[in-house]
Amino acid sequence: MSKSVRIAVLPGDGVGKEVMAEALFCLDWARSRGRRIETVSLPCGADHFLATGETLPEAVFVDIRDQCDAILFGSVGDPRIPDGRHAEEILLRLRQGLELTVNYRPCHSSLSGQGTRLDIEVFRENTEGPYCLQGSTEPGRAIDLAIHTEPAIRRLLQAAFHHAAARSRPLTLAHKANVLKHGHGLWLRVFQDLRGEHPEVAARAMHADALLCALVQEPSAFGVIAADNYLGDLISDLCAAYLGGMGVAPSISWAPHRPFRCSLLAEPVHGSAPDLAGKGLANPIGMILSTALLFRHLGWEPEAAALEAAVAGALGAGAKTCDLGGALSTTVMGKAIRDRLPA
Ligand code: GGG
């Protein structure tokens, strides 16, 4: 019998709770096919923070790190906490504390139901750059430090090169080394190193501004795009817009060097969308496709492929939530997808 997988479930805030309910149905379906899954539900989020003052207590972090194999995450962000402190202490703590360097964001129009043909996979570094939360605000002056380290850059780029090589796809590095001479200069040097080791990959480096123009003018010219935390965030959100919006965009993060038992975190690209929250309007596709990515990383390819086919089938039959121009609620959309899953 296969080993049981222990998954920490953190719905978080806003629409995160509604879309997570749909992901949990996907876990039930995988269980019905014999996959052994244990879940640990954690209340981390704005409600819990406002009630207790706790975000992600160290003991909870350590339990996730050492006793779980993966995390299913919804979204964080709440207007009652305008500085986003709880969000940082939960989500950035998990990404950084578990060294989840690689954030993979596939953007396939075949899984979005929208017109523009797009088949782009973004590899975003997930723990460093300007998102390392170091800086200061003084009267009339503010500083955000951007830290880039060679091990993290190398891990991210190695993952991107391996992925591109295995699928015979072109790889583009987005950078601004003409201005950010130190940080992005290092990115460029590591990229050039790895390009030498992977002559089979059609690899090029592009200034991020030129890349964004080309992405708008000719999206089909891109395959795999690698970038630092900040640029990767922006580029993948632009790609999500081609798919109809953030609601359909999935992601998974992992630690290639596996420093801890817990080395996977699957979450939709979207945030908590407070304007939609509690109304049953959120699109569950980003969350369901993130669950499919988690299944794939766990080695459960039949379940991953079946979930993706069910999403494509539901969209092909015209099932859509309001963000895609339809009228289905989160739960009805989720059911339209589940109804297409094999027994
Ligand atoms: N699933 C990604 C996520 O929750 N990101 C946090 C975020 O973007 N928060 C800001 C927001 O919800 O608008």
Side-chain angles (χ1 to χ4, degrees), residues 47-71:
D47 290 341
H48 186 72
F49 174 61
L50 291 170
T52 65
E54 283 182 347
T55 51
L56 181 66
E58 188 58 17
V60 176
F61 171 76
V62 169
D63 191 57
I64 294 173
R65 186 189 67 191
D66 299 340
Q67 307 297 333
C68 293
D69 300 290
I71 302 165

Side-chain angles (χ1 to χ4, degrees), residues 73-78 87 91 95 105 251 267-274:
F73 195 92
S75 54
V76 272
D78 188 298
L91 189 51
R95 290 176 182 167
R105 294 181 161 193
S251 85
E267 62 175 321
V269 167
H270 65 72
S272 59

Side-chain angles (χ1 to χ4, degrees), residues 101-184:
T101 314
V102 180
N103 180 224
Y104 170 67
R105 294 181 161 193
C107 302
H108 303 301
S109 43
S110 57
L111 294 174
S112 78
Q114 296 301 297
T116 310
R117 227 188 70 69
L118 198 76
D119 193 12
I120 291 177
E121 300 165 283
V122 177
F123 279 72
R124 167 193 174 191
E125 200 288 319
N126 205 29
T127 60
E128 301 190 338
Y131 292 25
C132 61
L133 303 179
Q134 294 188 40
S136 60
T137 305
E138 301 154 21
R141 199 170 111 109
I143 297 169
D144 285 307
L145 277 184
I147 298 178
H148 304 266
T149 68
E150 184 163 342
I153 296 171
R154 196 167 281 279
R155 279 199 289 274
L156 185 280
L157 289 179
Q158 265 167 347
F161 267 100
H162 286 150
H163 190 89
R167 289 157 188 79
S168 302
R169 305 211 71 199
L171 169 64
T172 310
L173 170 71
H175 71 92
K176 281 293 287 176
N178 52 333
V179 182
L180 306 174
K181 293 188 188 304
H182 304 284
H184 284 194

Side-chain angles (χ1 to χ4, degrees), residues 69-337:
D69 300 290
I71 302 165
L72 256 187
F73 195 92
S75 54
V76 272
D78 188 298
R80 292 171 297 170
I81 310 166
D83 68 359
R85 190 187 134 204
H86 77 299
E88 281 170 14
E89 290 182 13
I90 298 169
L91 189 51
L92 295 193
R93 172 82 178 115
L94 287 170
R95 290 176 182 167
Q96 293 172 355
L98 298 173
E99 298 179 35
L100 301 169
T101 314
V102 180
N103 180 224
Y104 170 67
R105 294 181 161 193
C107 302
H108 303 301
S109 43
S110 57
L111 294 174
S112 78
Q114 296 301 297
T116 310
R117 227 188 70 69
L118 198 76
D119 193 12
I120 291 177
E121 300 165 283
V122 177
F123 279 72
R124 167 193 174 191
E125 200 288 319
N126 205 29
T127 60
E128 301 190 338
Y131 292 25
C132 61
L133 303 179
Q134 294 188 40
S136 60
T137 305
E138 301 154 21
R141 199 170 111 109
I143 297 169
D144 285 307
L145 277 184
I147 298 178
H148 304 266
T149 68
E150 184 163 342
I153 296 171
R154 196 167 281 279
R155 279 199 289 274
L156 185 280
L157 289 179
Q158 265 167 347
F161 267 100
H162 286 150
H163 190 89
R167 289 157 188 79
S168 302
R169 305 211 71 199
L171 169 64
T172 310
L173 170 71
H175 71 92
K176 281 293 287 176
N178 52 333
V179 182
L180 306 174
K181 293 188 188 304
H182 304 284
H184 284 194
L186 180 59
W187 272 85
L188 210 45
R189 282 199 298 283
V190 178
F191 184 77
Q192 275 152 3
D193 252 21
L194 289 173
R195 187 160 53 183
E197 290 172 23
H198 290 278
E200 76 281 19
V201 176
R204 64 178 166 163
M206 277 181 88
H207 290 144
D209 34 11
L211 183 149
L212 286 167
C213 286
L215 199 50
V216 170
Q217 287 166 342
E218 203 190 350
S220 60
F222 293 91
V224 178
I225 298 176
D228 80 346
N229 207 340
Y230 187 38
L231 292 177
D233 197 4
L234 304 184
I235 291 167
S236 59
D237 285 4
L238 172 60
C239 291
Y242 275 118
L243 306 182
M246 310 274 272
V248 294
S251 85
I252 188 158
S253 304
W254 68 90
H257 54 317
R258 299 194 65 117
F260 308 110
R261 171 169 169 185
C262 188
S263 59
L264 288 171
L265 185 156
E267 62 175 321
V269 167
H270 65 72
S272 59
D275 52 327
L276 297 184
K279 298 179 185 159
L281 295 175
N283 192 333
I285 289 180
M287 185 79 238
I288 290 175
L289 291 177
S290 301
T291 310
L293 293 177
L294 176 61
F295 288 171
R296 180 161 293 126
H297 276 257
L298 292 170
W300 303 348
E301 182 55 34
E303 284 78 8
L307 270 186
E308 290 171 348
V311 168
L315 288 167
K320 284 178 186 168
T321 42
C322 61
D323 54 327
L324 299 182
L328 299 189
S329 68
T330 310
T331 50
V332 174
M333 185 70 209
K335 185 163 180 327
I337 294 168

